[in-house]
Amino acid sequence: MEQIERIKQMEQHMDCASAAVMELSATLDKYVEAQKSITILNEYYGSNEWHQDYADDEAGNLPKDLKRGVLSEDGIWNLLSDCREMNVRLLETVMNIMKNNL
């Protein structure tokens, strides 16, 4: 009976790990695709164009129905900070995994 329970347990571990790997792989693909957008946003934020867009928004020169989250200093800053933190987390995770020989 001990052997059967061990196999059942290992099967649960395999199912859990398999689902997590598949989900992470799909999510990582999306994150890698988003890197171009992240780079473009990083270059835009703080640029002369961004400052002009921000000033025009503050002056009321932009359409009221225009989505303008990129002109929110906190919004774009937080997104870019989250991306940097995610990159550090990914690197640390890879280093820990490599250290444990997985």
Side-chain angles (χ1 to χ4, degrees):
M1 199 58 141
E2 190 175 299
Q3 182 183 37
I4 301 297
E5 287 306 312
R6 180 178 57 246
I7 292 169
K8 285 181 180 180
Q9 247 186 3
M10 292 305 122
E11 227 13 73
Q12 288 176 344
H13 288 301
M14 186 171 170
D15 290 347
C16 177
S18 179
V21 167
M22 289 175 58
E23 185 177 335
L24 179 59
S25 181
T27 301
L28 191 54
D29 287 345
K30 289 179 187 176
Y31 187 66
V32 168
E33 289 176 22
Q35 291 308 300
K36 182 177 180 182
S37 293
I38 293 166
T39 298
I40 291 168
L41 284 170
N42 192 50
E43 292 170 358
Y44 173 66
Y45 183 62
S47 70
N48 289 337
E49 289 175 324
W50 183 87
H51 284 287
Q52 183 61 54
D53 295 344
Y54 182 83
D56 286 344
D57 185 39
E58 290 291 303
N61 297 333
L62 299 177
K64 299 293 181 210
D65 62 345
L66 178 66
K67 188 174 177 185
R68 55 174 54 73
V70 296
L71 300 179
S72 160
E73 292 180 77
D74 289 342
I76 199 166
W77 174 261
N78 289 342
L79 172 62
L80 294 173
S81 293
D82 289 346
C83 290
R84 284 188 290 273
E85 288 175 19
M86 180 61 64
N87 291 339
V88 169
R89 186 174 172 200
L90 287 168
L91 184 59
E92 288 172 346
T93 300
V94 168
M95 296 302 289
N96 285 332
I97 290 170
M98 297 301 290
K99 188 170 103 174
N100 291 321
N101 296 317
L102 290 178

